[in-house]
Amino acid sequence: MKERIVELEEKARKLRVSIVKTLHKSQSGHTGGSLSAIDMITALYFQKMRHDPADPSWEGRDRFVLSKGHAAPALYVALAEAGYFPAEDLMMLRRLGSHLQGHPDSKSTPGVEVPTGSLGQGLSMAAGMALGLRLDGKENRVYALLGDGELQEGQVWEAAMAGGHYRLDNLCAMVDANALQIDGEVAKVMNVAPIADKFRAFGWNALEINGHDMAAIIDALELAEKVKGRPTVIVAHTVKGKGVSFFENKASYHGVPPSDEELPRALECLGCLED
Amino acid sequence: MSSNMIATRDAYGETLAELGAENGDIVALDADLSGSTKTGVFAKKFPERFFNMGIAEANMVGTAAGLAAVGKIPFVSTFAIFAVGRAWEQVRQSVAYPKANVKIVATHGGVTVGEDGGSHQSVEDIAIMRAVPNMTVIVPADGVETRGAIRAAAACKGPVYVRLGRNKVPTIFPPEHRFEIGKGCELRPGTDLTLVTTGLMTAPALAAAELLAKEGISARVVHIGTIKPLDQEIILKAARETGAIVTAEEHSIIGGLGGAVAELLGEEHPVPVRRVGVRDRFGTSGKAEELLKYFGLTPEDLAEAAREVLARKRV
């Protein structure tokens, strides 16, 4: 397992490089939240989830909902790496006619289950999927990745209430708790803490981890699957802009792509020197 | 017209329960109003396929989108004001944008909700749903058409909004009537003008045509069961053949049937038009019949609008 963790860490590093290059090319999109979420997305797509890039609508697949849809670049680089579409497509992100929309669009992109981008809606859709799959007696699991700022949306708590009420143990929410949102610190804009306790109060199993510790992410996902009778939330403490030192912990890089001048420095931070 | 009276919401409840027996993929969601919306009939027969989501409409609509994403056919019900008002952006983003196979069947549309008052009387829902891309909008006139509309909604793929009423209304259509999405019906021939109506205003329009006939005015009545996609052909034909149009709906004159017809005729075949509906106001408490009078939605009001539009046609 230790070797596998190292492989996944290397995969995440590679995907960070891809995020930075993709956003530099598009000159539009969300850098900070993509870099904070990518370790969890890597763990899901390259370790935990059952899925088939050659058959995106395979019935046996687990489902993933990127509720914090502005981290679309993180999802797109993972889908490209997994083989849902060619990596060259990433260079068309956010362009007219591209299948890679600014925020995830299930009608455009193979591998995207539902559209997101308007915050607060993904957990409801994930819970609906979990209800439907359970109704059919299927074992598939449903994962939803939310931002911590996103938790300010009331609908998230309606969904949390329903997930607890319907005891959706095939549902796992992950919170990319990078502590920043567009206008600044989440705690100052509108405090959402304590996150885990709030979910627990709604009947969820709650785990807290370091969202950049690959072994901890995998362990938490394994643990979540074993818990029966209630859904699990993994509150993952992360660093916005993780991996690129001068982006880290800066709210100002929420929706800003790397400039021409920043690109080589960003790639250098990620141990990618060939450019 | 049969004297048989049934509320469109009751016809919905019965039809949904029938569909539930025919198709195991049909599920229903409600927000604590299953007794009023009549999804309770389905819930009683198929408790495992009914989800009461509590008083949380936004999450209910999102949950329905998720159920649709794994192959279910969710029927989502609450009052029109909450389905369209409270959950509008969930309908737009989670349902309409991905063309999710979700059926939003809202009851208690319009001012005939009655005593509950303006907070509960949705006069904007048709306009709002009509403006959303990918959305089909159906407003049945009676129980028979409601049954057909609910079956058509279940059979078609994609988002559908069906607006139903609270009160018992006369049955207009014969039991063998076949509802087809996007098709209007001429219910009465006429040559001087056409009353183009939807939902619960179609019965008063037929009564208005009777009143006008006594004055020697020949009013055609065209019922538009599907506001979107609009049956343009039947409306343009009426405009060409009768030269004047009165629209009638239990809804704001802005953006609903009247808006749709005026837009179409303005572009394709301008003729005098008069829109009968709620004139940019909120509802108010009262008995349904009192409110229909108060807002100018009676057969007499329709007949007056017809005389007015006819006078303009003759200028």
Side-chain angles (χ1 to χ4, degrees):
Chain A
M1 194 61 200
K2 210 160 190 179
E3 279 166 35
R4 181 68 190 139
I5 297 294
V6 173
E7 280 171 25
L8 289 166
E9 285 169 346
E10 173 55 19
K11 180 78 83 183
R13 189 195 63 81
K14 194 177 157 196
L15 293 178
R16 281 194 163 85
V17 169
S18 189
I19 288 169
V20 166
K21 287 182 175 174
T22 298
L23 283 163
H24 171 257
K25 177 77 179 171
S26 68
Q27 278 305 299
S28 168
H30 297 78
T31 309
S34 295
L35 291 170
S36 63
I38 194 62
D39 294 307
M40 284 178 277
I41 289 176
T42 302
L44 287 168
Y45 275 91
F46 300 97
Q47 180 66 24
K48 193 73 195 90
M49 290 203 307
R50 293 161 286 193
H51 65 118
D52 180 2
D55 183 8
S57 53
W58 172 49
E59 277 211 12
R61 74 193 187 282
D62 293 326
R63 268 68 167 185
F64 176 68
V65 175
L66 183 66
S67 192
K68 50 170 288 183
H70 56 281
L75 175 59
Y76 294 159
V77 298
L79 291 173
E81 175 73 14
Y84 282 88
F85 50 81
E88 304 90 82
D89 295 4
L90 295 169
M91 295 299 114
M92 292 296 286
L93 173 68
R94 289 183 168 233
R95 304 260 169 124
L96 182 63
S98 167
H99 73 80
L100 298 176
Q101 294 292 295
H103 293 82
D105 172 19
S106 48
K107 288 199 314 300
S108 299
T109 312
V112 172
E113 300 285 352
V114 289
T116 50
S118 167
L119 291 174
Q121 301 198 25
L123 189 57
S124 298
M125 290 191 276
M129 291 177 181
L131 264 181
L133 291 165
R134 187 174 72 182
L135 203 55
D136 286 341
K138 291 182 175 157
E139 298 289 312
N140 319 47
R141 292 184 61 74
V142 183
Y143 298 93
L145 181 60
L146 295 83
D148 50 357
E150 181 180 12
L151 303 181
Q152 291 156 357
E153 287 283 2
Q155 188 184 345
V156 171
W157 302 107
E158 292 183 3
M161 199 182 334
H165 178 83
Y166 282 109
R167 303 179 172 279
L168 296 174
D169 54 19
N170 54 348
L171 174 65
C172 177
M174 305 174 86
V175 178
D176 176 10
N178 62 34
L180 292 174
Q181 60 189 110
I182 299 179
D183 273 355
E185 293 170 43
V186 174
K188 285 188 179 160
V189 173
M190 184 53 68
N191 193 15
V192 297
I195 297 170
D197 284 348
K198 284 192 174 72
F199 276 95
R200 282 188 192 108
F202 283 114
W204 290 55
N205 174 48
L207 307 168
E208 291 206 56
I209 61 166
N210 171 350
H212 301 305
D213 179 340
M214 191 58 74
I217 297 169
I218 303 289
D219 281 351
L221 289 169
E222 294 294 338
L223 213 60
E225 189 159 5
K226 291 193 183 91
V227 174
K228 297 299 167 199
R230 59 201 164 130
T232 291
V233 62
I234 299 169
V235 180
H237 297 282
T238 58
V239 172
K240 197 156 187 159
K242 176 72 178 178
V244 178
S245 58
F246 52 96
F247 287 172
E248 286 185 1
N249 287 316
K250 289 207 177 88
S252 53
Y253 277 100
H254 175 91
V256 179
S259 67
D260 288 346
E261 182 243 333
E262 286 164 339
L263 178 68
R265 289 200 289 138
L267 293 175
E268 195 183 339
C269 291
L270 294 168
C272 176
L273 300 166
E274 79 266 28
D275 287 70
Chain B
M1 196 190 299
S2 151
S3 60
N4 178 22
M5 303 277 285
I6 181 174
T8 51
R9 60 176 167 145
D10 280 312
Y12 165 52
E14 290 164 16
T15 310
L16 184 63
E18 288 164 20
L19 283 168
E22 294 164 24
N23 186 342
D25 281 333
I26 289 182
V27 297
L29 300 90
D30 208 300
D32 195 39
L33 288 169
S34 61
S36 299
T37 66
K38 306 300 174 186
T39 58
V41 185
F42 179 96
K44 211 163 174 190
K45 281 177 85 172
F46 309 103
E48 73 290 350
R49 280 192 270 147
F50 173 78
F51 303 106
N52 201 325
M53 302 309 293
I55 309 164
E57 295 79 8
N59 180 56
M60 172 168 72
V61 170
T63 304
L67 282 157
V70 295
K72 300 294 166 197
I73 306 170
F75 277 73
V76 177
S77 289
T78 178
F79 292 178
I81 194 64
F82 308 130
V84 173
R86 178 64 64 96
W88 177 77
E89 205 230 340
Q90 285 73 22
V91 171
R92 178 190 187 272
Q93 164 78 21
S94 296
V95 174
Y97 185 41
K99 287 191 183 172
N101 198 23
V102 172
K103 319 302 168 182
I104 300 151
V105 183
T107 65
H108 296 63
V111 295
T112 50
V113 168
E115 292 83 347
D116 276 350
S119 60
H120 283 56
Q121 294 167 4
S122 171
V123 295
E124 317 93 327
D125 54 306
I126 300 173
I128 292 166
M129 285 294 102
R130 191 169 78 84
V132 177
N134 296 340
M135 187 61 75
T136 293
V137 180
I138 302 174
V139 188
D142 70 357
V144 171
E145 193 181 30
T146 300
R147 289 174 199 281
I150 296 303
R151 286 187 170 276
C156 80
K157 201 130 178 85
V160 178
Y161 176 66
V162 184
R163 186 217 221 199
L164 303 175
R166 173 183 178 224
N167 302 324
K168 287 188 172 158
V169 291
T171 300
I172 293 166
F173 289 100
E176 65 276 11
H177 173 71
R178 306 278 307 170
F179 175 84
E180 207 182 316
I181 290 174
K183 281 269 174 245
C185 337
E186 185 178 307
L187 294 177
R188 181 184 171 116
T191 52
D192 294 330
L193 78 145
T194 304
L195 303 170
V196 179
T197 64
T198 194
L200 312 187
M201 287 307 290
T202 296
L206 288 165
E210 281 294 321
L211 293 175
L212 292 164
K214 284 177 191 150
E215 302 168 20
I217 298 169
S218 166
R220 183 180 298 186
V221 178
V222 168
H223 169 70
I224 297 294
T226 312
I227 309 275
K228 185 180 158 186
L230 189 67
D231 186 344
Q232 302 194 351
E233 209 175 303
I234 202 168
I235 294 164
L236 288 171
K237 184 168 179 277
R240 281 191 214 106
E241 291 177 1
T242 69
I245 302 282
V246 171
T247 63
E249 63 205 299
E250 195 199 345
H251 181 270
S252 172
I253 55 165
I254 298 169
L257 174 70
V261 169
E263 287 160 17
L264 171 68
L265 296 178
E267 284 190 346
E268 300 290 335
H269 191 85
V271 296
V273 173
R274 173 90 187 164
R275 294 166 298 154
V276 173
V278 178
R279 301 197 77 80
D280 197 17
R281 300 158 70 187
F282 284 109
T284 187
S285 286
K287 290 194 168 55
E289 308 87 86
E290 290 172 340
L291 291 170
L292 288 172
K293 278 197 189 104
Y294 182 78
F295 287 105
L297 303 173
T298 65
E300 291 73 23
D301 294 305
L302 278 167
E304 186 50 37
R307 288 179 208 109
E308 190 262 342
V309 85
L310 207 52
R312 277 200 279 144
K313 176 186 163 185
R314 282 168 186 156
V315 169

